[in-house]
Amino acid sequence: MQLGMIGLGRMGGNMARRIHRAGHECVVFSQHEKTVAEFAHEGMIGASGLPDVVARLRPPRAVWVMLPAGAVTEETVAALSDLLSAGDCVIDGGNTFYKDDIRRAKALAAKGVAYVDVGTSGGVWGLDRGYCMMIGGAKPEVERLDPIFKALAPGSGAIARTPGREGRDPRAELGYIHAGPAGAGHFVKMIHNGIEYGLMQAYAEGFDILRGKAGAHLPEAERFTFDLADIAEVWRRGSVISSWLLDLSAMALAEDETLANFQGAVEDSGEGRWTIEAAIEEATPANVLAASLFVRFRSRQAHTFGERLLSAMRFKFGGHVEPPSGG
Amino acid sequence: MQLGMIGLGRMGGNMARRIHRAGHECVVFSQHEKTVAEFAHEGMIGASGLPDVVARLRPPRAVWVMLPAGAVTEETVAALSDLLSAGDCVIDGGNTFYKDDIRRAKALAAKGVAYVDVGTSGGVWGLDRGYCMMIGGAKPEVERLDPIFKALAPGSGAIARTPGREGRDPRAELGYIHAGPAGAGHFVKMIHNGIEYGLMQAYAEGFDILRGKAGAHLPEAERFTFDLADIAEVWRRGSVISSWLLDLSAMALAEDETLANFQGAVEDSGEGRWTIEAAIEEATPANVLAASLFVRFRSRQAHTFGERLLSAMRFKFGGHVEPPSGG
Amino acid sequence: MQLGMIGLGRMGGNMARRIHRAGHECVVFSQHEKTVAEFAHEGMIGASGLPDVVARLRPPRAVWVMLPAGAVTEETVAALSDLLSAGDCVIDGGNTFYKDDIRRAKALAAKGVAYVDVGTSGGVWGLDRGYCMMIGGAKPEVERLDPIFKALAPGSGAIARTPGREGRDPRAELGYIHAGPAGAGHFVKMIHNGIEYGLMQAYAEGFDILRGKAGAHLPEAERFTFDLADIAEVWRRGSVISSWLLDLSAMALAEDETLANFQGAVEDSGEGRWTIEAAIEEATPANVLAASLFVRFRSRQAHTFGERLLSAMRFKFGGHVEPPSGG
Amino acid sequence: MQLGMIGLGRMGGNMARRIHRAGHECVVFSQHEKTVAEFAHEGMIGASGLPDVVARLRPPRAVWVMLPAGAVTEETVAALSDLLSAGDCVIDGGNTFYKDDIRRAKALAAKGVAYVDVGTSGGVWGLDRGYCMMIGGAKPEVERLDPIFKALAPGSGAIARTPGREGRDPRAELGYIHAGPAGAGHFVKMIHNGIEYGLMQAYAEGFDILRGKAGAHLPEAERFTFDLADIAEVWRRGSVISSWLLDLSAMALAEDETLANFQGAVEDSGEGRWTIEAAIEEATPANVLAASLFVRFRSRQAHTFGERLLSAMRFKFGGHVEPPSGG
């Protein structure tokens, strides 16, 4: 089938390629003319702008927006809503806040244009490994787009089947699900990222404690100097904590056990924050996910003002002076 | 080679079987005569007690203790230390606190008996999947016992190799490592379990928020009723958060998405607690691992006294009365 | 001066009384006719509805809304905005979300009506102890309303002066501040409540550990059975952790050291939640305030679904069965 | 009565002075001859060493050790135990781990020497404000030492009485309690300090969020620049969160609202750590107290290794590069 792809960055570009390789017709557009030309050279149809994308697609059209969440995506969806006709469909594959999806779907429905949100996981590995997709939208559109989702998804591959899934939706085993109405796809992806923060932080703390066990301030008989690369590797094999994130950690540690290329200022994106807000709206405790987010906030500061206040209080009640090195 | 195995429970029994299947000679003992007979029937050599185990092994002997950590293991190691001779070796494969290993290794060394601690992960799946092992002890013993470790380990299997490991210890890729001197094996296993708590809690919170999204107190347009079994399944395929714990979650949710067979009183074992104590000794922050442990403490109480005090304060300053249903 | 007071509940009623006692003229209104009559009996001017309140005040009018935050307050402010004239002023003394203040102030400004938000702390003790107020709004209105704030505030009283405040705003020492433009008052009050959650939780955990020290599962020689009422009392006197919340705890524990009248299902209100959202918007770590909020969420559930999932995973990987008593 | 005081630092020195001022006879000793001379000049009896302290006291003697917890205190108590006779008493007023008290009390009991542990709060303010004391030991000794405790304690002073304390131990209202057998005093003090960490962190986070509200990355209409000194001051007056720690914060902020003299590397001492270990031993959740401790650990590092691992994982799965400024 035909698909328009807006945005040819790290994610959108490889997704277009994977769709193209599966035999579908991709009309592609990016702000960067050169990039469009590159994709045209690979056999896709380059477009000169949004109107051109729309013009090159046969109705009912499907246009996939794969741009940074926020203003850029918002404007692109708005522009498409003007260009498209009843029966067409806009897909937002980025990391949009799910309440924006709900709002947009309602607005576009007024014009007869469908809106589908797709939370996409897979990162730079997706081209080869396939993309895990969590889809929100109305049933007819999600079914109409099925060939595209099938092309992007990893497929069942070598991963063992989960016993007891007989009678359940077979799409989940191929790597994509129809999670619910508009917004549901991005909500599930948002929680996915929230969990991701928690998993990463659990490994980070564990390796931190392992590394700290060589610390000179510990009793000598209780000090250990561990080979973290070997530990990450062995945990990949038969242990309860094997995971893809551990695979990646093992790679990073095998390259350089000191991780000297990284200093530890860790970015966060909307999903991690929205996950905590969703938890709060529901009154669901989320200690680990919140703590993981806060570690990232903290990692980007030399000191918080709060820590200065702690020192000030300690000085006031006990005359305690900060350690000279000052951390 | 020959190995004595003390303890034939869920872990020790299957480990003996795996060693036996690999062609080694297993002398087995358990408190339960019937169990010993059963293993003898499978072709292993049953023993009537610790002295009999020792008598049936040729020096230098190796006796693996696979019993609940704590008093039972402590007494068994002490008894073996009296029965064994210089050049023999005791292996503790349970979940012993690493400082006890350090102490025992020192005590046994005085008699010329070696002490090896093996942190073992794999659970009920180990018989088929193999056991991931983290080993502490002196180099000669760990090397002498290599055939046993090789038999127990999963081997390289179908798991992809980590790029860049050339020149590193090949044992890690087979599923076991020599982590350091006595105590180092259990320390690494302890951290493994600490991480395990954190990973589990990250998933638990994520699924909790997903489930809560159907909550009647949320605005109707923002409510979603998710199929948690399908979500767990789809995340196994191409997503950043795929892991073995997620595989297990997918199984449990495929069987019954409401998890009605579980009420949520969650046990914890020594490793999770010692992990936090180790972090504190090192002055390493461990927010996520600690929070994961506390969730389990909390899960086994109807209410904490602390929560009653919160209610009492609220009543005192604001006249706030607890909600009638009381949770 | 004259003031209209809408809402005569626990907070509004006593505030009207305190203003009245200070010699100001209070026009009061509540949904409950009986309550209005009661206050009229105390010497205030009862009104029959919002139009009547407005009619009984001389311009420039000032109407204080002291109602539950949310829809009721929103509608009341909207209604007043229709009834009032340019130069008049609406004061929201409830626990409104500060972004709603910003929005309302902008809307009312279009009609020439001023909007002042007052975060108020003091609870049921305020009538006698005075109310601590954090005020947002434009300078002229805040200054015009000064006699009202002065009447409500505790005044400098017996509380020791903070050294080094010479040259700073004297109002802070009387118990009220002009925190900034509209919204600023409620923002500061919101943070106040966030801190309150954290302080309460710190005491709650401390007393919980003290109480648990009598636990039968601890080594007998290390068990202590503490008199919690005496401990709370002694900490009020010369210790670093003396506070008003501790005073209240000491009262509650002196009445009944077991707090048997409370079961521990603890409500939370908007401020605690908004505080975390504000922290997230700023990328400021707030581990303690978030954890305090989550304790309250958890306290109102028998078990979370997440805890059930933990149990399910434990069963799947280790065959672990939940403890029979089930917490 | 007579008392020996060993250690004349910030705490011990002022305590000796307060005891002396109350009319008791103080035999004092410190490693620093000059200090001893100074106290002798103030009217106390200077001693040249531990034997001299013991020689100058009439039996039954009472010797108060006020030294840094750990090796120094341990050795001093051991030395005194050799010098003292049956019926004498050693008091440890430092921050000793309560399990050490239990052990010492048992050891000294064998010689007929009593052991009393006193957790002391009050910091540099104690000389004037009095010391809050939590006492562990046998009843007869604690009663014999009552005049000393009464001299050190703040007394009932101007602090309001807690209603409902009739019939309870009157000592709590004077600022000291007999908490239980040896170890109980330091256990209560330990929890006191654990709570202190939590309270401090709650204020720290609240002020941090207030300060961050001026952040340039927030929408302009929602930015506030607060006067933190005024906010701290106003909260002292009639608010729910008034406390002594807030008084101290108000002082520090009145001196310099930017706290530029402090950088935020915050020390922790044994009590904060032991509190978490006690919570873990009891299986009592302590999220806030643990998080408060971890903030201090984190505050003394530029970055954790765990944070570097987070960055490494992010790079591996998403090609994410750290922000150039790198925090």
Side-chain angles (χ1 to χ4, degrees):
Chain A
M1 65 179 286
Q2 271 194 319
L3 183 83
M5 174 66 72
I6 314 294
L8 299 170
R10 213 151 40 190
M11 289 294 285
N14 282 342
M15 293 172 83
R17 285 191 180 101
R18 202 170 156 102
I19 292 165
H20 175 67
R21 286 181 195 174
H24 299 294
E25 199 176 310
C26 263
V27 180
V28 301
F29 172 67
S30 145
Q31 297 280 24
H32 309 284
E33 251 176 79
K34 238 182 170 170
T35 310
V36 175
E38 207 179 295
F39 278 73
H41 187 78
E42 293 183 30
M44 290 169 249
I45 301 165
S48 62
L50 296 187
D52 193 28
V53 170
V54 172
R56 286 171 186 271
L57 293 168
R58 291 179 298 278
R61 301 176 191 83
V63 185
W64 188 298
V65 181
M66 201 70 202
L67 294 169
V72 191
T73 295
E74 186 69 30
E75 286 157 24
T76 305
V77 170
L80 285 171
S81 128
D82 288 341
L83 295 165
L84 294 173
S85 315
D88 292 346
C89 172
V90 175
I91 304 135
D92 178 0
N95 280 324
T96 292
F97 184 45
Y98 77 97
K99 293 189 184 179
D100 290 329
D101 294 316
I102 295 173
R103 173 180 48 77
R104 288 183 199 157
K106 208 174 157 188
L108 268 72
K111 308 188 176 187
V113 176
Y115 181 87
V116 170
D117 56 290
V118 183
T120 314
S121 182
V124 293
W125 300 70
L127 178 58
D128 296 321
R129 203 179 177 240
Y131 298 91
C132 172
M133 283 167 294
M134 298 137 260
I135 306 160
K139 210 180 165 195
E141 271 71 37
V142 175
E143 291 188 349
R144 181 161 77 83
L145 294 165
D146 193 70
I148 299 298
F149 297 135
K150 201 169 268 163
L152 286 169
S156 55
I159 295 169
R161 292 198 63 182
T162 298
R165 282 197 52 84
E166 297 73 30
R168 293 191 177 263
D169 192 331
R171 291 175 292 184
E173 295 189 329
L174 301 176
Y176 62 106
I177 55 166
H178 182 197
H186 278 141
F187 190 90
V188 176
K189 174 58 171 26
M190 175 189 89
I191 298 298
H192 168 281
N193 286 29
I195 293 173
E196 176 191 301
Y197 283 32
L199 301 182
M200 288 171 74
Q201 186 58 27
Y203 288 116
E205 293 180 6
F207 280 100
D208 214 355
I209 305 172
L210 284 174
R211 186 159 176 273
K213 193 59 183 167
H217 58 296
L218 298 176
E220 201 177 338
E222 296 178 5
R223 265 180 242 158
F224 298 123
T225 304
F226 291 115
D227 183 320
L228 301 186
D230 281 0
I231 290 175
E233 184 61 34
V234 81
W235 285 346
R236 298 179 64 224
R237 302 177 175 279
S239 103
V240 169
I241 64 171
S242 61
S243 73
W244 194 56
L245 284 164
L246 181 63
D247 294 349
L248 300 179
S249 301
M251 285 181 207
L253 291 165
E255 284 170 20
D256 171 14
E257 203 178 311
T258 67
L259 301 177
N261 286 331
F262 304 94
Q263 58 173 324
V266 192
E267 289 293 307
D268 72 283
S269 60
E271 295 85 14
R273 301 179 176 206
W274 302 328
T275 295
I276 307 309
E277 289 172 3
I280 290 174
E281 281 186 15
E282 293 178 12
T284 297
N287 292 285
V288 156
L289 305 191
S292 302
L293 180 64
F294 294 149
V295 164
R296 298 189 177 198
F297 291 169
R298 178 63 187 81
S299 80
R300 304 194 301 262
Q301 304 183 51
H303 276 296
T304 67
F305 181 74
E307 288 161 9
R308 294 220 293 280
L309 184 59
L310 294 180
S311 282
M313 284 191 235
R314 278 171 54 80
F315 178 72
K316 281 289 174 201
F317 69 68
H320 302 292
V321 176
E322 289 194 327
S325 70
Chain B
M1 67 180 283
Q2 270 193 322
L3 184 83
M5 176 66 74
I6 315 294
L8 299 170
R10 211 151 40 190
M11 289 294 285
N14 282 343
M15 291 173 84
R17 284 191 181 102
R18 204 169 154 101
I19 292 165
H20 174 67
R21 287 181 195 173
H24 299 293
E25 198 176 311
C26 264
V27 179
V28 300
F29 172 67
S30 146
Q31 299 280 23
H32 308 284
E33 252 177 78
K34 238 182 171 171
T35 308
V36 175
E38 208 179 295
F39 278 73
H41 186 77
E42 293 184 29
M44 290 169 250
I45 301 165
S48 62
L50 295 187
D52 192 27
V53 170
V54 173
R56 285 170 187 273
L57 293 169
R58 288 178 300 276
R61 301 174 191 84
V63 185
W64 189 298
V65 180
M66 202 69 203
L67 294 168
V72 190
T73 295
E74 187 68 31
E75 286 157 24
T76 304
V77 170
L80 285 171
S81 129
D82 288 340
L83 294 165
L84 293 173
S85 315
D88 293 345
C89 172
V90 175
I91 303 136
D92 179 359
N95 280 323
T96 291
F97 184 45
Y98 76 98
K99 293 190 186 179
D100 290 329
D101 293 316
I102 295 172
R103 173 179 49 75
R104 287 183 200 158
K106 208 174 155 188
L108 269 72
K111 307 187 175 184
V113 176
Y115 182 87
V116 170
D117 56 292
V118 183
T120 314
S121 182
V124 294
W125 300 70
L127 178 57
D128 296 322
R129 204 180 176 240
Y131 297 91
C132 173
M133 284 166 294
M134 296 138 264
I135 305 161
K139 212 180 164 195
E141 271 71 36
V142 175
E143 292 187 348
R144 181 161 77 84
L145 294 165
D146 193 71
I148 298 297
F149 297 135
K150 202 167 265 163
L152 286 169
S156 55
I159 294 168
R161 291 198 63 181
T162 299
R165 282 198 51 83
E166 298 73 31
R168 293 191 177 265
D169 192 331
R171 292 175 292 185
E173 295 189 327
L174 302 176
Y176 63 106
I177 54 167
H178 181 196
H186 278 141
F187 189 90
V188 176
K189 174 56 170 29
M190 174 189 90
I191 298 298
H192 168 281
N193 285 29
I195 293 174
E196 176 190 303
Y197 283 32
L199 301 181
M200 290 171 73
Q201 185 59 26
Y203 288 116
E205 292 179 9
F207 280 101
D208 213 356
I209 304 172
L210 284 173
R211 186 159 178 273
K213 193 61 184 164
H217 59 295
L218 298 176
E220 200 176 339
E222 296 177 5
R223 266 179 242 158
F224 298 123
T225 304
F226 292 115
D227 183 320
L228 301 187
D230 281 0
I231 290 175
E233 183 61 32
V234 84
W235 285 345
R236 298 179 63 223
R237 301 176 176 278
S239 103
V240 170
I241 64 171
S242 62
S243 73
W244 194 55
L245 284 163
L246 181 64
D247 295 347
L248 301 179
S249 300
M251 286 181 206
L253 290 165
E255 284 171 19
D256 171 13
E257 204 178 310
T258 67
L259 302 177
N261 285 332
F262 303 94
Q263 58 172 325
V266 191
E267 289 292 308
D268 72 283
S269 59
E271 294 85 14
R273 301 180 176 205
W274 301 327
T275 295
I276 307 309
E277 290 172 2
I280 291 175
E281 282 186 14
E282 293 178 12
T284 297
N287 292 284
V288 156
L289 304 192
S292 302
L293 179 65
F294 294 148
V295 164
R296 298 188 177 197
F297 291 169
R298 178 62 187 81
S299 81
R300 304 195 301 260
Q301 304 185 49
H303 277 295
T304 66
F305 182 73
E307 287 161 10
R308 295 220 294 279
L309 183 59
L310 295 179
S311 282
M313 285 191 233
R314 276 171 55 79
F315 179 72
K316 281 288 173 199
F317 69 68
H320 303 293
V321 175
E322 289 195 325
S325 69
Chain C
M1 65 180 286
Q2 270 194 320
L3 184 84
M5 176 65 74
I6 315 294
L8 300 170
R10 209 152 41 190
M11 290 293 285
N14 282 343
M15 291 171 84
R17 283 191 181 100
R18 200 165 157 104
I19 293 163
H20 175 69
R21 287 182 195 172
H24 300 293
E25 197 176 312
C26 263
V27 180
V28 300
F29 172 66
S30 146
Q31 297 280 24
H32 309 283
E33 252 176 77
K34 237 182 170 170
T35 309
V36 176
E38 207 179 295
F39 278 73
H41 187 77
E42 293 184 30
M44 289 168 252
I45 303 164
S48 63
L50 295 187
D52 192 30
V53 170
V54 172
R56 287 171 185 273
L57 293 168
R58 290 177 300 276
R61 300 174 190 86
V63 184
W64 188 298
V65 182
M66 202 68 201
L67 294 168
V72 191
T73 296
E74 187 68 32
E75 286 157 22
T76 306
V77 170
L80 285 171
S81 130
D82 288 340
L83 295 165
L84 293 173
S85 315
D88 291 347
C89 173
V90 176
I91 304 135
D92 179 0
N95 281 323
T96 291
F97 184 45
Y98 77 97
K99 292 189 185 180
D100 290 330
D101 294 316
I102 295 173
R103 174 179 48 76
R104 287 183 199 157
K106 209 174 154 185
L108 267 72
K111 307 186 175 185
V113 175
Y115 181 87
V116 170
D117 56 290
V118 183
T120 315
S121 182
V124 294
W125 299 70
L127 178 57
D128 296 320
R129 203 179 176 242
Y131 298 91
C132 173
M133 283 167 294
M134 297 138 263
I135 305 161
K139 211 179 163 195
E141 271 72 35
V142 176
E143 291 188 348
R144 181 162 75 84
L145 295 165
D146 193 72
I148 299 297
F149 298 135
K150 202 169 265 164
L152 287 169
S156 56
I159 295 168
R161 291 199 65 181
T162 299
R165 281 197 54 82
E166 298 71 29
R168 294 191 177 265
D169 192 331
R171 291 175 292 184
E173 296 189 326
L174 302 175
Y176 62 108
I177 55 167
H178 181 196
H186 278 141
F187 189 90
V188 176
K189 174 57 170 28
M190 175 189 88
I191 298 298
H192 168 281
N193 285 29
I195 293 173
E196 175 191 303
Y197 282 33
L199 301 181
M200 288 170 74
Q201 185 59 26
Y203 288 116
E205 293 181 7
F207 279 101
D208 214 355
I209 304 171
L210 284 174
R211 186 160 177 274
K213 194 60 184 164
H217 58 298
L218 298 176
E220 201 177 338
E222 297 178 5
R223 266 180 242 157
F224 298 123
T225 303
F226 291 115
D227 184 320
L228 300 186
D230 280 0
I231 290 175
E233 184 61 33
V234 83
W235 285 345
R236 298 180 63 223
R237 302 176 175 279
S239 103
V240 169
I241 63 171
S242 62
S243 73
W244 194 55
L245 284 164
L246 181 65
D247 294 348
L248 300 179
S249 301
M251 285 181 206
L253 290 165
E255 283 169 20
D256 171 14
E257 203 178 310
T258 67
L259 302 177
N261 285 333
F262 305 94
Q263 57 174 326
V266 191
E267 289 293 307
D268 72 283
S269 59
E271 296 84 15
R273 301 180 176 206
W274 302 327
T275 295
I276 307 307
E277 289 172 3
I280 290 174
E281 282 187 15
E282 294 179 11
T284 297
N287 291 285
V288 155
L289 305 192
S292 302
L293 180 64
F294 294 149
V295 164
R296 296 188 177 197
F297 290 170
R298 178 62 186 82
S299 80
R300 305 195 300 260
Q301 304 184 48
H303 277 293
T304 67
F305 181 73
E307 288 161 9
R308 294 221 292 280
L309 183 58
L310 294 180
S311 282
M313 285 191 236
R314 278 170 54 80
F315 179 70
K316 282 288 173 200
F317 70 67
H320 303 293
V321 176
E322 290 193 324
S325 69
Chain D
M1 66 181 285
Q2 270 194 321
L3 183 83
M5 174 67 72
I6 315 294
L8 299 170
R10 209 149 43 190
M11 290 293 285
N14 282 342
M15 292 172 82
R17 284 191 180 100
R18 204 170 155 101
I19 292 165
H20 175 69
R21 287 182 195 172
H24 300 292
E25 196 177 314
C26 264
V27 179
V28 301
F29 173 67
S30 146
Q31 297 280 24
H32 308 283
E33 252 177 77
K34 238 181 168 171
T35 310
V36 175
E38 208 179 295
F39 278 74
H41 187 79
E42 292 183 30
M44 290 168 251
I45 302 164
S48 62
L50 297 187
D52 192 30
V53 169
V54 173
R56 285 170 186 273
L57 293 168
R58 290 178 299 277
R61 302 173 189 86
V63 184
W64 188 299
V65 180
M66 202 68 200
L67 294 168
V72 190
T73 295
E74 187 69 31
E75 286 156 23
T76 306
V77 171
L80 285 171
S81 128
D82 287 341
L83 295 164
L84 294 173
S85 315
D88 291 347
C89 172
V90 175
I91 303 136
D92 179 0
N95 279 324
T96 291
F97 184 45
Y98 76 98
K99 293 189 185 180
D100 290 329
D101 294 316
I102 295 173
R103 172 178 51 76
R104 288 183 199 159
K106 210 174 154 186
L108 269 70
K111 307 186 176 186
V113 175
Y115 181 89
V116 170
D117 56 290
V118 183
T120 314
S121 183
V124 293
W125 301 71
L127 177 59
D128 296 321
R129 203 177 176 243
Y131 298 91
C132 173
M133 284 167 294
M134 297 138 262
I135 305 161
K139 212 180 164 193
E141 270 72 35
V142 175
E143 292 187 348
R144 181 161 76 84
L145 295 164
D146 194 71
I148 299 296
F149 297 135
K150 201 168 265 163
L152 287 169
S156 55
I159 294 168
R161 291 199 62 179
T162 298
R165 282 198 52 84
E166 298 72 30
R168 294 192 177 264
D169 191 332
R171 291 175 291 184
E173 296 189 327
L174 301 176
Y176 62 107
I177 55 167
H178 181 196
H186 278 142
F187 190 90
V188 176
K189 174 57 170 31
M190 175 188 88
I191 297 298
H192 167 280
N193 285 29
I195 293 173
E196 176 191 302
Y197 282 32
L199 301 181
M200 289 171 74
Q201 185 58 27
Y203 289 115
E205 293 181 6
F207 280 100
D208 213 356
I209 304 173
L210 285 173
R211 186 159 177 273
K213 193 60 183 165
H217 59 294
L218 298 176
E220 201 178 337
E222 295 177 6
R223 267 180 241 158
F224 298 123
T225 303
F226 291 115
D227 183 321
L228 301 186
D230 280 0
I231 291 176
E233 183 62 33
V234 84
W235 285 346
R236 298 180 63 223
R237 301 175 176 281
S239 104
V240 170
I241 63 171
S242 61
S243 73
W244 194 56
L245 284 164
L246 181 64
D247 294 348
L248 300 179
S249 301
M251 285 180 206
L253 290 164
E255 284 170 18
D256 171 13
E257 204 178 309
T258 67
L259 301 178
N261 286 332
F262 304 94
Q263 57 172 325
V266 191
E267 289 293 307
D268 71 281
S269 60
E271 296 83 14
R273 303 180 175 205
W274 302 328
T275 294
I276 307 308
E277 290 173 2
I280 290 175
E281 282 186 15
E282 293 178 12
T284 297
N287 291 284
V288 156
L289 305 191
S292 303
L293 179 64
F294 294 149
V295 164
R296 298 188 176 198
F297 290 170
R298 178 62 187 81
S299 81
R300 304 195 301 260
Q301 303 185 48
H303 277 295
T304 67
F305 181 75
E307 288 160 10
R308 293 219 294 280
L309 184 58
L310 294 179
S311 281
M313 285 191 234
R314 276 171 55 80
F315 179 71
K316 282 288 173 199
F317 70 67
H320 303 293
V321 176
E322 289 194 325
S325 69

